[in-house]
Amino acid sequence: MIVKKLVLRNFRNYDFAQVEFDPKLNIIVGENGAGKTNLVEAIYFLSLARSFRTSEYGDLIKNKRQYSTIEAQVEQDTINKDIVALMTSNAKKFTCNDKQIRKISDLSKLINVIVFEPKDTLMFSDSPLVRRNYLDINLSKKSPVYLENLMIFEKLLRERNSILKGEEIDKTQLQVVTEQLIDIQETICKYRQAYINEINNVLSKIICKLKGEKEVAQLVYLPFVKLDDKFKLSCARAYARNEESDIKHKMTQLGIHREDMKMMLNGKDISEQGSQGENRIAVIALKIAPYFLIEEKEKKPIVILDDVMSELDGEHKKRLIEFLFTLDQVFITSTNTNVKNASVYEVTNHTITRRKA
């Protein structure tokens, strides 16, 4: 999966921009604020219909103009697909080869992107929501069934919370919805545990390549109740114990929407005992790991690493670059990076110039 061409209109700081990219390593350089991150943000937006920088897609439209468009030519297994996103202040529309895409879940099948951004370094000291988002986004791309189950859970959760907010609580209705919630959560928890097991099969290998020394890394899943053959019984008891508290707080306080995970590096919890450098390398490895869980070469995701080189020393930069050359297509943004055999694009004054590395 390769982005061959990108065209932007009224996107962020660009009136118009057109650029052709190469397979393997593409480095986008420029001063802070020049617009280099905007280019990779546009590619990511085509994958998930949202930015990794803002929750308001209206922010992507330049100077509150009437519309903004992102066009990309994507090659997958020698087949070209023309993907277009059209954004107005209150709507967004996606097409592929002039046919409308109605389900956002279909986008990542057309252009699958994984991204690392500087704030990700804090993943394991940040809110559990950040770690759940990592699981949910990557699992939803990998399994449409997981995404469907997650949507069912969210619907049931809203229904249960609505019951809890009522002036008169219908205990029978509450029990019915709770049982449905338990059933769907068992499936979701099993998916999460299986996916974390898959990540653990590749995580240590990636970290070893990035650090140049043997490391043992492990993600540890922390389900809200023990995931075993008594899961449903344990859930039922937990919800029964917490029912009065849920009614008092008018919300469901237990469930997969409150779960967490942690990373152990050489037997230590990285959030408590890991250095800033160890956290950075570990999270870079974690972000790249889903690439290796996809077997079909033509479906391998595009890798975006925003400002990844800052705070890495020379040796770790060298090892990271060597590793990235083994992947299919990678985009790096940087204020100043010169890498032999990479394709380099310099962003200045809202223009993009290709130059030799």
Side-chain angles (χ1 to χ4, degrees), residues 134-135 138-143 146 190-206 217-221 285-286 288-296:
Y134 169 85
L135 275 180
N138 286 288
L139 251 172
S140 295
K141 288 181 181 181
K142 188 173 188 290
S143 171
Y146 178 83
K190 286 180 178 178
Y191 267 99
R192 286 181 173 180
Q193 182 64 74
Y195 188 73
I196 285 175
N197 291 344
E198 289 185 68
I199 291 289
N200 283 334
N201 286 336
V202 300
L203 188 59
S204 293
K205 297 173 187 176
I206 299 172
Q218 183 185 28
L219 278 183
V220 178
Y221 178 38
L286 181 61
I288 294 174
Y291 180 95
F292 296 96
L293 303 186
I294 298 174
E295 296 181 0
E296 300 95 331

Side-chain angles (χ1 to χ4, degrees), residues 25 27 309 321 325 332 337-344 356-357:
L25 186 56
I27 301 179
M309 294 299 182
I321 291 296
F325 268 114
I332 290 178
T337 297
N338 193 19
V339 177
K340 187 177 180 180
N341 297 323
S343 301
V344 179
K356 292 185 179 180

Side-chain angles (χ1 to χ4, degrees), residues 116-350:
F116 167 88
E117 53 179 322
K119 69 179 183 180
D120 289 334
T121 303
L122 303 174
M123 178 185 281
F124 287 97
S125 58
D126 210 330
S127 161
L129 176 62
V130 173
R131 296 181 284 280
R132 287 196 302 273
N133 282 344
Y134 169 85
L135 275 180
D136 287 340
I137 289 172
N138 286 288
L139 251 172
S140 295
K141 288 181 181 181
K142 188 173 188 290
S143 171
V145 176
Y146 178 83
L147 177 58
E148 182 180 342
N149 284 326
L150 195 60
M151 292 171 68
I152 292 171
F153 166 78
E154 289 171 352
K155 180 175 180 291
L156 288 168
L157 182 62
R158 288 193 297 271
E159 186 176 349
R160 190 175 192 271
N161 285 341
S162 178
I163 295 169
L164 292 168
K165 290 173 183 175
E167 291 185 12
E168 296 290 334
I169 306 297
D170 185 332
K171 291 291 188 75
T172 301
Q173 186 184 13
L174 182 64
Q175 182 62 28
V176 169
V177 175
T178 301
E179 289 173 1
Q180 293 173 328
L181 207 61
I182 289 170
D183 286 343
I184 200 70
Q185 286 180 111
E186 182 178 36
T187 302
I188 290 170
C189 287
K190 286 180 178 178
Y191 267 99
R192 286 181 173 180
Q193 182 64 74
Y195 188 73
I196 285 175
N197 291 344
E198 289 185 68
I199 291 289
N200 283 334
N201 286 336
V202 300
L203 188 59
S204 293
K205 297 173 187 176
I206 299 172
I207 291 178
C208 289
K209 288 180 180 179
L210 296 182
K211 293 195 70 175
E213 52 192 73
K214 189 172 181 179
E215 303 275 2
V216 178
Q218 183 185 28
L219 278 183
V220 178
Y221 178 38
L222 304 171
F224 74 101
V225 297
K226 188 176 181 180
L227 185 56
D228 57 18
D229 56 0
K230 295 180 180 179
F231 178 85
K232 288 185 180 180
L233 178 61
S234 299
C235 275
R237 289 173 174 170
Y239 278 112
R241 286 193 302 268
N242 220 55
E243 185 176 286
E244 290 306 315
S245 180
D246 282 354
I247 292 172
K248 178 182 177 181
H249 290 89
K250 299 183 181 296
M251 65 183 297
T252 305
Q253 299 170 94
L254 294 176
I256 57 113
H257 59 301
R258 297 292 180 90
E259 288 187 335
D260 202 356
M261 66 177 185
K262 62 182 178 180
M263 182 183 286
M264 306 298 291
L265 185 65
N266 300 324
K268 300 184 299 183
D269 186 333
I270 200 166
S271 69
E272 296 176 353
Q273 297 175 274
S275 67
Q276 186 174 348
E278 286 176 326
N279 270 275
R280 191 173 188 85
I281 292 294
V283 174
I284 291 170
L286 181 61
K287 285 300 192 105
I288 294 174
Y291 180 95
F292 296 96
L293 303 186
I294 298 174
E295 296 181 0
E296 300 95 331
K297 180 176 174 59
E298 67 275 8
K299 293 183 180 180
K300 293 281 191 182
I302 296 154
V303 177
I304 291 173
L305 304 172
D306 185 30
D307 195 24
V308 72
M309 294 299 182
S310 64
E311 300 182 29
L312 288 180
D313 60 30
E315 180 63 24
H316 285 113
K317 286 180 182 178
K318 178 184 175 183
R319 289 189 174 278
L320 176 60
I321 291 296
E322 288 175 352
F323 177 75
L324 294 177
F325 268 114
T326 68
L327 309 183
D328 284 350
Q329 189 179 41
V330 180
F331 293 89
I332 290 178
T333 67
S334 177
T335 53
N336 184 19
T337 297
N338 193 19
V339 177
K340 187 177 180 180
N341 297 323
S343 301
V344 179
Y345 305 83
E346 189 166 6
V347 180
T348 53
N349 298 323
H350 308 164

Side-chain angles (χ1 to χ4, degrees), residues 10-14 38 41 51 53-54 59-62:
N10 300 331
F11 183 83
R12 287 289 195 182
N13 65 330
Y14 293 102
N38 298 345
E41 180 185 27
S51 166
R53 300 162 74 192
T54 177
D59 294 344
L60 307 180
I61 303 173
K62 183 177 181 181

